[in-house]
Amino acid sequence: MFNSLADALPHFRNTNSGQFFLMAGPCVIEGEEMALRIAERVKHITDKLQIPYIFKGSYRKANRSRLDSFTGIGDETALRILQKVSKEIGVPTVTDIHETGEAAFAADYVDVLQIPAFLCRQTDLLIAAAKTGKVVNIKKGQFLSGEAMKFAVDKVKQSGNEHVILTDRGNSFGYSDLVVDFRNLPEMQSFGVPVVMDVTHSLQRPNQASGVTGGQPALIETIAKAAIAVGADGLFIETHPTPATAKSDGANMLPLDQLERLLIKLTNIRQALQDTGSVKDLGVAGL
């Protein structure tokens, strides 16, 4: 794990090129070998493309449709794996928390604390995350507009922590679908914080009759391209060597062997926008 916030921040920032940053990894930590394998592969790709990289992995899944759904391999076991990824691969790590007591506990192992979308209005949780001094990534609720996220940002900042990221993951549409309103990205950027597009969760099909969330992974490239074109500061992509065997959210994951090709296309789009002057002052200066 990084020794301090100052050590981690350069990995969020590439002000010279205006490059986007990437949060990527499996939905949930399934084991040490797989986590290291994914992190090492993504780090190799992002180093080559000069994309700042943050490894993502949930140490525990609390928001499950069914009681028999996989929730994790044990809290401390998974957090120690995240810590090992950071030390051995040399990247910051992000994981989500669900209750106030988890904030300080998880902060001992990771660099970024993530607030799940369905908990983004939980004041006590936001304050607890803020008080750890870690970067706080707040996912926009599927039930909220981008404009409404100003108050979540204010809760963290007014608790003494200026290091906030906002992440969009689509809006509820009917009972079993999500849509992405790209107006939310510039709206949330107006709060002076970096804004990330959660590409894979935006393509979920929740509330399926089976109790297992569905997805539309064929549209990952479409959403990612649009987000970069709009000017997203970062992307969030869940990836797995074999999504069909993933223990959580396999239906909307990107196969790991498809990531490099996608990121090449996205860096080309960002570079074209930079060359034409369509995108200015990108990066994550809000951190």
Side-chain angles (χ1 to χ4, degrees), residues 2 4-15 18-23 50-55 91-94 110-113 134-137 163-165 194 196 233-234 282-287:
F2 286 76
S4 68
L5 185 62
D7 292 335
L9 288 183
H11 293 259
F12 296 81
R13 188 178 284 132
N14 196 340
T15 54
Q19 184 63 286
F20 59 91
F21 66 98
L22 177 69
M23 295 184 181
Q50 297 185 313
I51 297 172
Y53 172 48
I54 304 154
F55 177 81
V91 295
T93 55
V94 54
V110 300
D111 303 285
V112 184
L113 297 178
K134 299 290 184 175
V135 176
V136 182
N137 178 33
H163 308 297
V164 187
I165 300 171
V196 174
D233 298 294
L282 291 173
V284 290
L287 288 174

Side-chain angles (χ1 to χ4, degrees), residues 36 45 62 65 67 74 78-79 82 85-86 106 131 138 143 163 172 185 195 204 207 220 246 255 258 263-264 268 275:
L36 290 168
I45 295 168
S65 297
L67 189 60
L79 285 167
L82 284 162
V85 166
S86 185
K131 289 188 178 300
I138 313 170
F143 44 87
H163 308 297
S172 296
L185 274 63
V195 172
Q204 283 185 332
N207 304 317
I220 288 173
Q258 295 180 20
L263 291 177
I264 290 171
N268 287 339
D275 291 345

Side-chain angles (χ1 to χ4, degrees), residues 34-225:
M34 180 176 287
L36 290 168
R37 172 185 171 191
I38 294 171
E40 184 175 31
R41 177 59 184 155
V42 180
K43 178 70 159 51
H44 174 76
I45 295 168
T46 53
D47 279 354
K48 184 162 56 173
L49 298 175
Q50 297 185 313
I51 297 172
Y53 172 48
I54 304 154
F55 177 81
K56 180 269 167 184
S58 296
Y59 75 93
R60 172 158 50 90
K61 301 301 294 183
N63 182 22
R64 303 288 85 191
S65 297
R66 297 183 349 193
L67 189 60
D68 61 352
S69 296
F70 179 79
T71 59
I73 60 175
D75 292 357
E76 190 165 359
T77 299
L79 285 167
R80 288 190 183 280
I81 290 172
L82 284 162
Q83 188 178 54
K84 187 168 184 177
V85 166
S86 185
K87 288 180 177 179
E88 293 198 2
I89 308 301
V91 295
T93 55
V94 54
T95 199
D96 39 333
I97 59 173
H98 308 88
E99 298 179 3
T100 56
E102 296 177 36
F105 175 53
D108 284 339
Y109 297 90
V110 300
D111 303 285
V112 184
L113 297 178
Q114 182 169 285
I115 308 300
F118 66 101
L119 295 175
C120 69
R121 286 170 51 89
Q122 296 296 103
T123 300
D124 288 347
L125 182 61
L126 290 168
I127 292 172
K131 289 188 178 300
T132 67
K134 299 290 184 175
V135 176
V136 182
N137 178 33
I138 313 170
K139 286 198 171 183
K140 183 186 75 63
Q142 304 94 320
F143 44 87
L144 291 176
S145 67
E147 183 179 17
M149 290 302 292
K150 177 182 184 299
F151 304 105
V153 172
D154 288 346
K155 288 175 183 178
V156 175
K157 290 190 173 183
Q158 290 170 14
S159 299
N161 189 335
E162 294 290 320
H163 308 297
V164 187
I165 300 171
L166 289 179
T167 295
D168 192 4
R169 51 138 317 148
N171 282 79
S172 296
F173 184 75
Y175 291 104
S176 301
D177 206 358
L178 297 167
V179 295
V180 177
D181 182 348
F182 285 99
R183 295 176 298 179
N184 285 326
L185 274 63
E187 180 69 51
M188 293 192 294
Q189 284 173 323
S190 72
F191 308 146
V193 300
V195 172
V196 174
M197 184 74 238
D198 181 343
V199 178
T200 48
H201 284 107
S202 297
L203 293 168
Q204 283 185 332
R205 286 280 179 87
N207 304 317
Q208 299 297 305
S210 64
V212 178
T213 298
Q216 295 179 292
L219 293 175
I220 288 173
E221 184 172 318
T222 300
I223 298 296
K225 284 179 175 177

